[in-house]
Each structure stands twice: as C-alpha cells, then as structure tokens.
Amino acid sequence: MLKINTLLTICCFTLFFSCKDDVNTTFEDINITTENNSVVEVNIPKAVGNKTVSSVINSEIEKEVIANLHLGEPNAINAKSIEESINNFNKEFETFQTDFPEISQPWEAQIDGEIMFSSPEIISLALTSYMNTGGAHGMLKVSFLNFDATTGKTIPNKNLINDTEVFKQIALPYFKEATKDKDIFEPELDAFKLPENIGYNDEGIVLLYNAYEIAPYSTGIIEFEIPFNKIANYLAFNSAR
C-alpha cells in the first residue's frame, strides 16, 4: 500500500510540473534569414511552451516584423512570412541598384527583439527596427508589444490602464523632466498625450516616443519610466512576477 501511495504521489508531482511547464511561456532567441540575403538582419524572441499561447504571440511578432520590413503603403503589405519580407527587401535593393548605379551606398535593415517583462499576467516585448534605404540618415523605430500571458493576445494601450486621465496626471511630471531640454513639437505641456508605446519593465511602466512622434528627428527617441509604486493602483495588470 505504501508503495502504491508513493507511486501515486510521484505521478501527481510529475503531472503537476508537466502541466505547469506547458502553461508557462518562455522565449528563445532566433535569427531569421534567407539564402541570398545580404542586407537584412532579424533577431527576435520566439515563444515556446504552451502551443496555443506561443502560436498567437509568435504570429503577432511576425506581423510586426513584416510590417517594419515593408516598403511602401502600409495597406499594401503582401508578404506572408518574415522570409518573404526579407526577400522582398533584397529585391527592392537590387532594383534600386539597377536604376541608380551611381549611388553606391548600401541599404540595410536590422530588427532586434527583447523581452522587457514577463509575469503570469502580462508579457512586454520591445522590437527595435533600424532601416536605411540610401537616404541622408537611417530611421530608428521602437515598438512595444504587450501580450496577455494567458491567451497570447495583444493588449491595446487603453486596456493597460484603469483610469487614463489619472495616469496622465501621474505621468506628466515625468514627461516634463524627460523633455525639459528637448525640442518638442508641443511646447504647451497642457496638450500632453500618451505615446504610442507603453510597456512594462522590471522597474515600472515605460513610455516611449519615437522620432517625429512629438519631436523632430534630431531630438531622437524620448523615453521615461514611472516606478510601479507610483502607478500600481491604476494598472489593469499586476506587476508581480
């Protein structure tokens, strides 16, 4: 009888940890390229673990990478995979070289992703894209993707915060500090608006404005952080790991 109970206990523990591992989503870094690729570098996290959740997350990451590699109107994206996007970008470069052989400057595109924060409730990812298609300067862009850790679905910014107006009041002093020496488009801080990118990191909530969002290119990216202890009561997702 003792042996049977021991065996059952072992089985229960095994089942518990197997299920637990299956529920948790972890990430591994991957590099994506194609056979004739010479100008595009893609290094992104790939979700593993629960197949359903991971599939949803990876699909959203793939969509963002494809959109960032697309040249032309946003509503004209036709690539079905990152590999196809890489090939399309290379073909555009080859066409450019043919049409303008006197311009020797090479094109380049680099996309890097990293997990900013991960908890049982929310996962925040930063995708940094640098594109240079022969202009005076390249374009750097950062995109935050927030995922519901239980479903893998992306979380819109409006669903990250319980009370947007109170959140803005708390964020405003941090915004003023971050922009006090910056050349911004909106000198009247009463017109303060939240950025397109809001995400979690280990210390708090990160707000990030890309170039041209509120300031000229020369100002660069504007980023600041609000500690969790200042904002926790107004967050829709718990920051506890």
Side-chain angles (χ1 to χ4, degrees):
M1 187 69 178
L2 180 60
K3 290 182 179 180
I4 294 175
N5 288 339
T6 302
L7 181 60
L8 288 173
T9 301
I10 292 173
C11 290
C12 288
F13 269 107
T14 302
L15 181 61
F16 171 78
F17 283 109
S18 297
C19 292
K20 186 178 180 182
D21 289 341
D22 189 52
V23 170
N24 291 339
T25 300
T26 58
F27 292 84
E28 60 184 23
D29 294 327
I30 61 171
N31 171 268
I32 301 176
T33 188
T34 58
E35 184 177 353
N36 298 314
N37 173 40
S38 61
V39 294
V40 180
E41 181 82 17
V42 176
N43 302 291
I44 54 174
K46 178 183 178 181
V48 295
N50 181 287
K51 291 183 179 180
T52 302
V53 174
S54 296
S55 176
V56 175
I57 291 174
N58 290 330
S59 177
E60 292 300 324
I61 295 174
E62 182 177 50
K63 287 178 186 177
E64 190 69 21
V65 173
I66 291 171
N68 286 345
L69 286 175
H70 175 72
L71 300 173
E73 295 297 324
N75 58 1
I77 297 174
N78 55 14
K80 300 297 190 294
S81 68
I82 294 175
E83 289 83 359
E84 186 177 350
S85 292
I86 292 173
N87 286 332
N88 289 347
F89 192 94
N90 277 272
K91 288 176 183 176
E92 289 284 349
F93 173 55
E94 291 167 1
T95 300
F96 180 83
Q97 282 186 311
T98 301
D99 293 342
F100 303 96
E102 71 280 6
I103 300 178
S104 59
Q105 181 179 350
W107 286 18
E108 61 178 319
Q110 181 163 347
I111 299 179
D112 295 297
E114 65 171 336
I115 302 301
M116 301 166 58
F117 183 87
S118 180
S119 78
E121 290 191 10
I122 187 169
I123 298 167
S124 289
L125 177 147
L127 204 64
T128 302
S129 304
Y130 176 77
M131 307 276 286
N132 192 330
T133 54
H137 56 73
M139 177 59 68
L140 181 68
K141 175 188 174 185
V142 179
S143 303
F144 290 167
L145 297 175
N146 296 294
F147 302 100
D148 185 322
T150 63
T151 65
K153 294 181 179 179
T154 53
I155 306 168
N157 284 349
K158 64 180 181 180
N159 293 345
L160 291 173
I161 303 159
N162 290 325
D163 191 324
T164 301
E165 290 308 311
V166 173
F167 182 88
K168 287 173 66 175
Q169 292 174 22
I170 296 172
L172 182 56
Y174 294 89
F175 174 80
K176 289 181 178 179
E177 179 64 24
T179 58
K180 64 181 180 182
D181 299 320
K182 306 288 186 182
D183 179 18
I184 63 174
F185 294 146
E186 298 176 356
E188 296 297 329
L189 294 181
D190 290 340
F192 169 64
K193 61 181 180 181
L194 296 175
E196 293 180 5
N197 289 302
I198 301 174
Y200 282 56
N201 71 7
D202 288 339
E203 306 300 326
I205 298 299
V206 182
L207 288 81
L208 183 146
Y209 299 85
N210 278 300
Y212 297 120
E213 192 172 345
I214 60 168
Y217 176 84
S218 58
T219 300
I221 289 173
I222 296 173
E223 181 180 8
F224 60 93
E225 176 188 292
I226 306 174
F228 282 129
N229 61 3
K230 303 292 184 181
I231 206 75
N233 291 339
Y234 304 101
L235 298 179
F237 292 85
N238 194 321
S239 60
R241 289 181 178 274

